[in-house]
Amino acid sequence: MHKNNKHSNGYDFELLVKSTPKLEEFVFTNNFGNVTIDFANPQAVKLLNTALLKQHYGIDYWEFPDANLVPPIPGRVEYIHAIHNLLKKSGVKEKITVLDIGTGASCIYPLLGHAEYGWHFIASEIDKQAIKSAQTILIKNKLSKSIELRHQDNEQNILTGILKPSEKVSAAMCNPPFYKDEEHANESTLLKQKGLGKQSSKVVRNFSGTAKELWYPGGEKAFVHNYLYQSSLLKTNCFWYTCLVSRTQHVLSMETSLKKLGATDFKILQISLGNKISRVVAWTFLTEKEQLEWNSKA
């Protein structure tokens, strides 16, 4: 994990229960003598992440429908730290604004990015109900001035219609839908349940998730390549476009496409969470001169 990640040493359940007492009923000591929760239980997972946000990030209110995706905080904040490193190495240090594509009902990336680094956010979302939930979270935590929600009203668009022609953001981030349809998502969930020791034919997503959050026609690859193309239409609006990518073969096809689209730089940022390795792909269309000009005006 990144050196700034508050969760590199695991969870202090005693501390978390003090901040969120409801969590206590889900905490137990397993056969190995470790204090933990049942990570196959959606309610336990949601309460754990609620407690983490309250204890470590000052987010006192984090309520949204149980059907919506519950983002695991350690992994989400690791993406934030990866972007921080990328911007710092590129000389982008002040007046940072980040575009979060598909912020969801939880508005998680803006909450973490603002708490850790004081960034301002534009947070886009296609689901109107998710926007309502995110807006309530921002109002309750007095963050509406730092995080702006924008509705994407066209399912074919990702950046188009969100970023204004003259608008500039330091980075764009995205955790795209992984699956191509419900059947694909259910197959993956059943495999995960088996890995957690749950032998059942009933699909129970421990992190929940709605259709718009989990799948996209054509799956992750189709979404990502649509994102790449639309980023090429806004070459000077963003210093670094980034995307969390689940499959290695998609990274290879992204690099090929970006070369054709005129990207000037392409990076793969690794994110480590225990034994799990994830990757963030980052690209820019800015020339060296444009990058210097960007930082000189900051």
Side-chain angles (χ1 to χ4, degrees):
M1 284 189 182
H2 189 278
K3 64 178 182 179
N4 292 347
N5 197 315
K6 295 179 172 69
H7 315 293
S8 57
N9 294 319
Y11 305 126
D12 183 337
F13 282 101
E14 184 177 349
L15 193 64
L16 293 173
V17 166
K18 285 182 180 179
S19 68
T20 309
K22 288 182 180 179
L23 178 64
E24 186 172 17
E25 65 179 285
F26 297 99
V27 176
F28 66 96
T29 301
N30 64 19
N31 294 334
F32 301 98
N34 299 319
V35 179
T36 186
I37 63 165
D38 179 2
F39 282 93
N41 183 329
Q43 192 176 359
V45 169
K46 189 172 184 178
L47 269 172
L48 170 62
N49 286 286
T50 300
L52 291 173
L53 283 174
K54 185 173 184 179
Q55 179 62 41
H56 298 291
Y57 303 97
I59 304 300
D60 292 322
Y61 179 91
W62 197 58
E63 295 290 341
F64 51 91
D66 288 340
N68 286 106
L69 189 68
V70 179
I73 304 306
R76 294 302 192 263
V77 79
E78 192 73 4
Y79 189 177
I80 292 292
H81 294 315
I83 290 180
H84 166 74
N85 281 2
L86 180 65
L87 292 174
K88 187 176 180 180
K89 289 178 181 178
S90 303
V92 185
K93 299 175 182 177
E94 298 179 5
K95 298 180 180 178
I96 290 174
T97 298
V98 176
L99 170 63
D100 177 30
I101 300 165
T103 199
S106 67
C107 201
I108 191 60
Y109 284 123
L111 294 179
L112 293 172
H114 183 266
E116 288 292 80
Y117 296 110
W119 296 342
H120 282 68
F121 275 83
I122 298 167
S124 72
E125 175 55 51
I126 199 164
D127 187 331
K128 287 185 176 180
Q129 291 303 120
I131 285 184
K132 286 183 179 179
S133 294
Q135 188 65 67
T136 301
I137 289 171
L138 297 182
I139 290 171
K140 294 280 190 179
N141 290 289
K142 299 178 180 179
L143 291 171
S144 297
K145 290 183 178 179
S146 300
I147 301 168
E148 178 190 351
L149 293 169
R150 294 184 186 176
H151 178 235
Q152 173 59 268
D153 60 5
N154 187 331
E155 293 190 3
Q156 300 303 314
N157 286 337
I158 295 172
L159 295 168
T160 305
I162 293 297
L163 279 183
K164 299 168 187 174
S166 60
E167 197 165 33
K168 293 185 181 295
V169 294
S170 311
M173 64 188 305
C174 180
N175 190 351
F178 288 162
Y179 309 111
K180 59 184 177 181
D181 52 33
E182 184 175 10
E183 182 181 359
H184 186 204
N186 288 345
E187 288 174 358
S188 177
T189 299
L190 288 171
L191 283 173
K192 185 185 291 186
Q193 287 174 197
K194 187 176 180 180
L196 290 169
K198 303 295 179 180
Q199 300 295 332
S200 172
S201 59
K202 182 181 179 182
V203 174
V204 179
R205 297 189 181 94
N206 59 334
F207 288 100
S208 300
T210 65
K212 289 181 179 178
E213 292 171 322
L214 296 176
W215 56 86
Y216 180 86
E220 181 184 66
K221 183 175 181 180
F223 182 96
V224 165
H225 282 274
N226 189 8
Y227 179 19
L228 300 186
Y229 171 70
Q230 291 191 24
S231 71
S232 74
L233 303 178
L234 296 162
K235 285 183 168 70
T236 60
N237 294 74
C238 178
F239 198 113
W240 283 107
Y241 288 102
T242 75
C243 186
L244 192 64
V245 183
S246 67
R247 299 181 182 275
T248 304
Q249 61 265 40
H250 295 170
V251 175
L252 298 175
S253 68
M254 288 175 71
E255 185 172 14
T256 300
S257 294
L258 282 166
K259 286 179 180 177
K260 294 177 181 178
L261 292 169
T264 58
D265 201 354
F266 176 91
K267 297 181 184 296
I268 301 172
L269 315 175
Q270 285 204 338
I271 291 178
S272 300
L273 291 170
N275 295 323
K276 182 181 178 182
I277 303 293
S278 301
R279 64 202 64 78
V280 170
V281 174
W283 66 97
T284 186
F285 295 99
L286 300 180
T287 64
E288 288 186 12
K289 181 182 178 182
E290 288 171 332
Q291 292 181 33
L292 289 171
E293 289 176 348
W294 183 296
N295 290 329
S296 67
K297 293 177 182 177

